[in-house]
Amino acid sequence: MKALVVTADDFGSALEVNEAVEIAYRDGILTAASLMVSAPAARDAVERARRLPELGVGLHLVLVDGRPTLPADRVPDLVDRNGRFRNDMAVVGLRIAMWPSVRKQLHAEIDAQFAAFAATGLPFDHVNAHKHFHLHPVIGRMVMETAALYAVTAIRAPIEPRSAATSGWLVSPFARLLALSAKRHGFITPDHVHGISHSGHMTGERIRQTIASMPDGLNEIYLHPAVRDDYAGHGPGYAHRAEFEGLIAEQSCASIETHAVRSGSFSSLLEGPH
């Protein structure tokens, strides 16, 4: 059987994103959203999510390209002089691997973001990380340890089907290691994740092609929809509006039924066979 979760990342990053999530859930094929708990529009996102109880909301852990949940002086080795997380992921990743003091700060920040999500009262549908930073083995281990404390059952391991992959050769080995570790620890991961090669450009045509050709098992399509492209904090060159329009297009809605796909959040799909 083909099962599908359609996830909007960066929920809470801007009102334009939040509006797209709400509309795409109500009028389109979106079934889940990943919340940035300390982003500028996080409070608005939570309010919308409370009006949409069937929308599967999870934690979009931010450890790069954003602001920490803890005060900057609690995580000095993870932030720049402006109090924002550093963007040089390779350097940060090396520091995490080498220095116990950095790992301690990292653990505290991960704990804080999980706690902030729990404080919203929203059920935990899943967890993933901004820019897939949880593929770092240390981060992935800490995420799973903390997720277990909050009874989170699903975590994204971004493994794209070979037939669709045009990039991600560096990501794939780490994603497979994460998937193996997650399954050993009792977590559910999607069998196939779609959107890596075309991140920011999952247009309606690509969405429909993905649905038509997706393999059996648990699939996830992730996108970055917004009602406009030029909102504050938008992805450089991302077609946010086109992704949003693809989610609500009649053809996209029809494709779910045409190809006999069972769609929903991770929580709802895991309640029964997939």
PDB file of all heavy atoms in Angstrom, residues 40 47 105 221 226 231 241:
ATOM      1  N   PRO A  40       9.834  33.936  14.276  1.00  0.00           N
ATOM      2  CA  PRO A  40       9.051  35.157  14.514  1.00  0.00           C
ATOM      3  C   PRO A  40       7.538  34.960  14.556  1.00  0.00           C
ATOM      4  O   PRO A  40       6.847  35.654  15.300  1.00  0.00           O
ATOM      5  CB  PRO A  40       9.455  36.053  13.332  1.00  0.00           C
ATOM      6  CG  PRO A  40      10.821  35.589  12.963  1.00  0.00           C
ATOM      7  CD  PRO A  40      10.811  34.110  13.193  1.00  0.00           C
ATOM      8  N   GLU A  47      -1.500  29.074  17.113  1.00  0.00           N
ATOM      9  CA  GLU A  47      -2.926  29.416  17.146  1.00  0.00           C
ATOM     10  C   GLU A  47      -3.670  28.794  15.971  1.00  0.00           C
ATOM     11  O   GLU A  47      -4.781  28.275  16.116  1.00  0.00           O
ATOM     12  CB  GLU A  47      -3.094  30.939  17.137  1.00  0.00           C
ATOM     13  CG  GLU A  47      -2.633  31.604  18.432  1.00  0.00           C
ATOM     14  CD  GLU A  47      -2.688  33.114  18.359  1.00  0.00           C
ATOM     15  OE1 GLU A  47      -3.008  33.656  17.270  1.00  0.00           O
ATOM     16  OE2 GLU A  47      -2.403  33.767  19.382  1.00  0.00           O
ATOM     17  N   GLN A 105      26.140  22.479  25.382  1.00  0.00           N
ATOM     18  CA  GLN A 105      25.288  23.575  24.934  1.00  0.00           C
ATOM     19  C   GLN A 105      24.233  23.078  23.942  1.00  0.00           C
ATOM     20  O   GLN A 105      23.062  23.462  24.001  1.00  0.00           O
ATOM     21  CB  GLN A 105      26.135  24.671  24.287  1.00  0.00           C
ATOM     22  CG  GLN A 105      27.097  25.363  25.234  1.00  0.00           C
ATOM     23  CD  GLN A 105      28.064  26.280  24.514  1.00  0.00           C
ATOM     24  OE1 GLN A 105      27.719  26.912  23.520  1.00  0.00           O
ATOM     25  NE2 GLN A 105      29.295  26.352  25.004  1.00  0.00           N
ATOM     26  N   ILE A 221       6.441  13.739   1.270  1.00  0.00           N
ATOM     27  CA  ILE A 221       6.822  14.872   0.423  1.00  0.00           C
ATOM     28  C   ILE A 221       6.951  16.066   1.350  1.00  0.00           C
ATOM     29  O   ILE A 221       6.028  16.376   2.104  1.00  0.00           O
ATOM     30  CB  ILE A 221       5.764  15.183  -0.648  1.00  0.00           C
ATOM     31  CG1 ILE A 221       5.591  14.007  -1.621  1.00  0.00           C
ATOM     32  CG2 ILE A 221       6.137  16.445  -1.424  1.00  0.00           C
ATOM     33  CD1 ILE A 221       4.466  14.209  -2.637  1.00  0.00           C
ATOM     34  N   ALA A 226       4.511  29.104   0.745  1.00  0.00           N
ATOM     35  CA  ALA A 226       4.149  30.419   1.298  1.00  0.00           C
ATOM     36  C   ALA A 226       3.242  31.092   0.278  1.00  0.00           C
ATOM     37  O   ALA A 226       3.276  30.763  -0.913  1.00  0.00           O
ATOM     38  CB  ALA A 226       5.385  31.274   1.565  1.00  0.00           C
ATOM     39  N   TYR A 231       8.758  37.041   1.135  1.00  0.00           N
ATOM     40  CA  TYR A 231       8.554  37.355   2.548  1.00  0.00           C
ATOM     41  C   TYR A 231       9.895  37.397   3.276  1.00  0.00           C
ATOM     42  O   TYR A 231      10.903  36.852   2.794  1.00  0.00           O
ATOM     43  CB  TYR A 231       7.619  36.331   3.195  1.00  0.00           C
ATOM     44  CG  TYR A 231       8.164  34.920   3.282  1.00  0.00           C
ATOM     45  CD1 TYR A 231       8.916  34.498   4.374  1.00  0.00           C
ATOM     46  CD2 TYR A 231       7.907  33.996   2.280  1.00  0.00           C
ATOM     47  CE1 TYR A 231       9.421  33.215   4.465  1.00  0.00           C
ATOM     48  CE2 TYR A 231       8.398  32.698   2.359  1.00  0.00           C
ATOM     49  CZ  TYR A 231       9.147  32.317   3.451  1.00  0.00           C
ATOM     50  OH  TYR A 231       9.641  31.042   3.531  1.00  0.00           O
ATOM     51  N   ARG A 241       5.559  30.319  -3.607  1.00  0.00           N
ATOM     52  CA  ARG A 241       4.183  30.474  -4.073  1.00  0.00           C
ATOM     53  C   ARG A 241       3.781  29.319  -4.996  1.00  0.00           C
ATOM     54  O   ARG A 241       2.666  28.794  -4.893  1.00  0.00           O
ATOM     55  CB  ARG A 241       4.035  31.814  -4.810  1.00  0.00           C
ATOM     56  CG  ARG A 241       2.677  32.034  -5.461  1.00  0.00           C
ATOM     57  CD  ARG A 241       1.596  32.366  -4.474  1.00  0.00           C
ATOM     58  NE  ARG A 241       0.283  32.362  -5.095  1.00  0.00           N
ATOM     59  CZ  ARG A 241      -0.840  32.708  -4.484  1.00  0.00           C
ATOM     60  NH1 ARG A 241      -0.800  33.122  -3.228  1.00  0.00           N
ATOM     61  NH2 ARG A 241      -2.000  32.657  -5.098  1.00  0.00           N
TER      62      ARG A 241
END
